[in-house]
Amino acid sequence: MPTQNNLQEKILRTAVARSQMPGQYTGSEWNMVRKDPGSVAARICLAFPDTYSLGMSFNGYQILYGLLNERDDIYAERAFAPWTDMHAAMRDEGLPLCSLETFTPISEFDVVGFSLQYEMTFTNVLDMLELGGIPLLAADRDKDAPLIIAGGPCALNPEPMADFIDIFILGEAEERLPEFMDHVIELKDKGLTREELITELAARVPNTYAPSLYDVVWNDDGTLKSLAPKASVADRIPAQITQAVVADLETAYLPTRPIVPFNEIVHDRINIEIMRGCWRGCRYCHAGMTRRPVRYRSVETILKNAEAQYAATGYSQIALTSLSTSDYPDIHRLVRELVEQFKDRRVSISLPSLRVNDQLGDLPAMLSGMKKSTLTIAPEAATERLRRVINKDILDEDLFNGVRAAYEQGWNGVKLYFMAGLPTETDEDLIGIAKLAEKVSHLRREVTKGAGKVNMSVAGFVPKPHTPFQRAAMATKERLEQIHPLLRQQIRTRAVSLNVHRADRSFLEGVFARGDRRLGKLILKAHELGCRFDAWDETFNFTKWEAAFEATGIDGTFYANRARADDELLPWSHISAGVSHDFLAREAARSQEGEFTPDCRDGKCQACGVEVCKETPKAPAS
Ligand code: SF4
């Protein structure tokens, strides 16, 4: 058995010799937390099943890392999925997947926690377990194996990963993970069997779900008949599991010393989450429905955190993040004061998620004089009719005013996000996307010379659990494949560039988003056939996935393209994400009628069922 120093040396040598970006495998970055592993009561490896570059850009990952490491009795370390070059090299050399902090194999941790941000990382979870020397199936692990836990948006329909994960933590992990670790510390040396330990944790810690403790029964037509706790534990664990929610964002943990990578990463900047949740009620939006209610940080807290993060990192860009930054109630004051605070330090302010609203037109002027980062706007649908179906209450005029103002302040172009394959969509709606993009490009001629550069990204719509479209049929792969040629034909200017997401990957995402635990064998087969990094064009191989469907006899269209009847029990019916089934059904019916539901600001509550809403402050503290 190699010693840790040995392992570190071998991994570093291998990374330098065989990987294109060795800096992502070395650890020791600025602000990395160093502790003596022998001095802590429990060790957790925060495992991100995608590249280092994406994982390190993800705010939630930095939050958990900083929050857990504030405690003296816990050491939180990091591991990422090695890219193909390093993966092959590690296999050749027989090197296990290790943490970046201490080069400890992940099999030696008390807990390995995966962040499931999107469905296309599922095979990477298996790959990381395998590379770490941990049995893939939860049922095959003995008491020496670490507890394998998972959280993130995909955990709100945990069933496709039920075979591989011991315990899911549902909802906002910073609210529950420290408490979970307290119980791990208390129980880990009590001589419990693995099953006893998992049962004890699932019984003690709210918002946790251990799939092995629940029985599943199917109807003859393949739909779900029941999913309920096993008789032996039914009096100890909940039949309905709720998700964790941070009630007050103002007092919640905010990183002050994020790790600064050696390599360039996707979001190489200070990220400050200014607001969580969204009022708007877009019917397709998983985050908008499951991250309710809206919670804020005060302008003062954000300014103070910006200063602290700047001092600890030296970054030259600050991003104000949230689902909808332009909806932050005090956005004018916030941007003004932030610009003032950093104007002499060549630090730019970026607002990555702008929604079209009446504030949009004012924002570019407030950022004038700063370095220009990309203006990104997500109209999602181009026609008024389709916007009513999806409850996207935006006006073209507000969009045009915002873009015009941006051109006036020196922006050369914008990025526009749309979805295709939305319920009731026609070719006319798609043609509308091309027309809208062209109009946005032409607007620049009204204020200066030349057309604006528009990068247009069109994603296939995937119905998600816990949204009003959770029972809707997804557009078929064949329909999604028509989108690119149709849009291409309509765009008559070189100023508009088009990126349409792959139809086969959207289909796969649709299979897993609303899948059940029978898909475990599909994921396992795909892993055995070599599928990994399925979210990446360079590595995605749909032919292998087709072979996996064939080998397992699973019909993907049953999951992706089938409308669910109102009374069908859904594989995530035992999980409550806050919004009630009544509200979702009501919204689905209003969608059919093309009726808008107003957003719930200013006391216009739509009775969505989110209990914790009563406890949360309704405006940023000042
Ligand atoms: S309970 Fe009412 S105010 Fe709160 S998020 Fe739901 S609809 Fe909005």
Side-chain angles (χ1 to χ4, degrees), residues 217-226 518 558:
V217 183
W218 308 103
N219 291 310
D220 291 343
D221 64 359
T223 57
L224 182 65
K225 186 167 188 183
S226 68
R518 291 172 298 191
F558 174 83

Side-chain angles (χ1 to χ4, degrees), residues 94 109 121 143 145 148 154 158 230 327 441 444-445 451 526 542 545 572:
F109 280 78
T121 60
K143 68 178 181 37
I148 305 302
C154 294
K230 289 184 168 161
D327 281 337
S441 171
R444 190 163 179 275
R445 294 186 199 278
F542 192 65
W545 276 99
W572 54 95

Side-chain angles (χ1 to χ4, degrees), residues 58-210:
F58 171 48
N59 207 18
Y61 193 72
Q62 299 263 10
I63 289 175
L64 293 180
Y65 183 78
L67 175 70
L68 292 168
N69 278 321
E70 279 205 328
R71 287 180 48 168
D72 292 337
D73 58 345
I74 296 174
Y75 194 5
E77 304 183 40
R78 297 164 296 146
F80 302 90
W83 187 245
T84 46
D85 49 4
M86 185 62 175
H87 184 264
M90 288 174 77
R91 287 228 161 144
D92 291 349
E93 305 286 330
L95 293 169
L97 182 64
C98 291
S99 66
L100 289 180
E101 276 66 16
T102 58
F103 289 85
T104 305
I106 64 167
S107 59
E108 293 177 22
F109 280 78
D110 298 302
V111 179
V112 176
F114 285 97
S115 175
L116 302 177
Q117 292 300 310
Y118 32 92
E119 292 83 0
M120 294 298 95
T121 60
F122 288 173
T123 53
N124 278 8
V125 172
L126 272 60
D127 210 59
M128 290 174 78
L129 289 173
E130 189 173 78
L131 210 50
I134 299 170
L136 303 186
L137 293 170
D140 292 344
R141 291 176 201 134
D142 63 20
K143 68 178 181 37
D144 295 328
L147 278 168
I148 305 302
I149 67 171
C154 294
L156 292 177
N157 175 20
E159 289 306 291
M161 289 296 282
D163 288 350
F164 314 109
I165 304 296
D166 297 317
I167 301 182
F168 289 93
I169 296 188
L170 308 181
E172 293 169 354
E174 74 252 58
E175 185 70 6
R176 204 54 70 215
L177 192 51
E179 180 185 345
F180 181 86
M181 293 303 293
D182 286 338
H183 289 282
V184 169
I185 290 169
E186 191 196 324
L187 295 168
K188 68 181 213 169
D189 296 322
K190 285 243 158 76
L192 303 177
T193 64
R194 191 169 181 88
E195 193 184 336
E196 286 166 344
L197 176 63
I198 289 172
T199 307
E200 202 57 39
L201 287 166
R204 287 183 180 200
V205 188
N207 320 119
T208 56
Y209 170 58

Side-chain angles (χ1 to χ4, degrees), residues 315-317 345-350 367-374 409 411:
Y315 272 128
S316 59
Q317 189 184 82
R345 291 185 264 183
R346 300 288 301 150
V347 175
S348 68
I349 314 297
S350 77
L367 295 171
S368 69
M370 308 292 294
K371 254 168 38 193
K372 307 275 182 294
S373 53
T374 316
Q409 296 298 332
W411 266 268

